[in-house]
Amino acid sequence: MSSSVAAGRQLAQRVVIHQIAVTLLLALICLLSGPKASAGALVGGMSMLLGGLAAAVVMFTGGVPGGAGWLMRLLLGTALKWSLVVVGLYLAIATWKLPAPAVLAGAALAAAAFLLAARQWNRGRTA
């Protein structure tokens, strides 16, 4: 197995842990505003998490491809991720009538958790 594939899988696992922690913490904080706000934060964060998991599955399953194969996996994974995020946010806000600020805050903080996890992972690998 390529070491870059193994490193990508490790980063994906770290991102999942960070996103779950941040989403649950925000949902607890939003519980002060009510159960709908808490559910909105949870759905927003989980839609970002599920999108990221789907992208990771597309990118890191099935052997080590060449350069064009990596690019296709990257593009397909990214398209799948953002499609799931948009559908999740739409369902939360338009269909389930959850508070939009809480939903968007959940998604934004889950996205920020990705950046935090990647930065910590990169710092640990270069030091």
Side-chain angles (χ1 to χ4, degrees):
M1 175 187 305
S2 171
S3 63
S4 61
V5 173
R9 286 183 181 162
Q10 289 175 351
L11 176 59
Q13 290 171 348
R14 182 177 296 258
V15 166
V16 166
I17 292 168
H18 278 74
Q19 286 181 327
I20 289 173
V22 166
T23 299
L24 291 176
L25 181 63
L26 180 65
L28 285 174
I29 292 169
C30 286
L31 195 55
L32 297 173
S33 296
K36 287 188 95 172
S38 180
L42 195 60
V43 170
M46 287 299 139
S47 67
M48 188 66 73
L49 172 70
L50 291 176
L53 282 174
V57 166
V58 168
M59 292 211 41
F60 300 119
T61 55
V64 180
W70 276 121
L71 180 61
M72 290 307 296
R73 285 184 184 185
L74 175 67
L75 293 175
L76 181 61
T78 302
L80 180 61
K81 172 185 179 171
W82 288 107
S83 296
L84 288 174
V85 170
V86 167
V87 167
L89 297 180
Y90 175 79
L91 287 173
I93 296 170
T95 305
W96 301 327
K97 306 293 186 208
L98 297 174
V103 173
L104 296 175
L109 285 180
F114 172 86
L115 296 175
L116 176 68
R119 183 174 180 193
Q120 286 178 347
W121 179 77
N122 192 32
R123 186 179 301 154
R125 293 179 55 84
T126 58

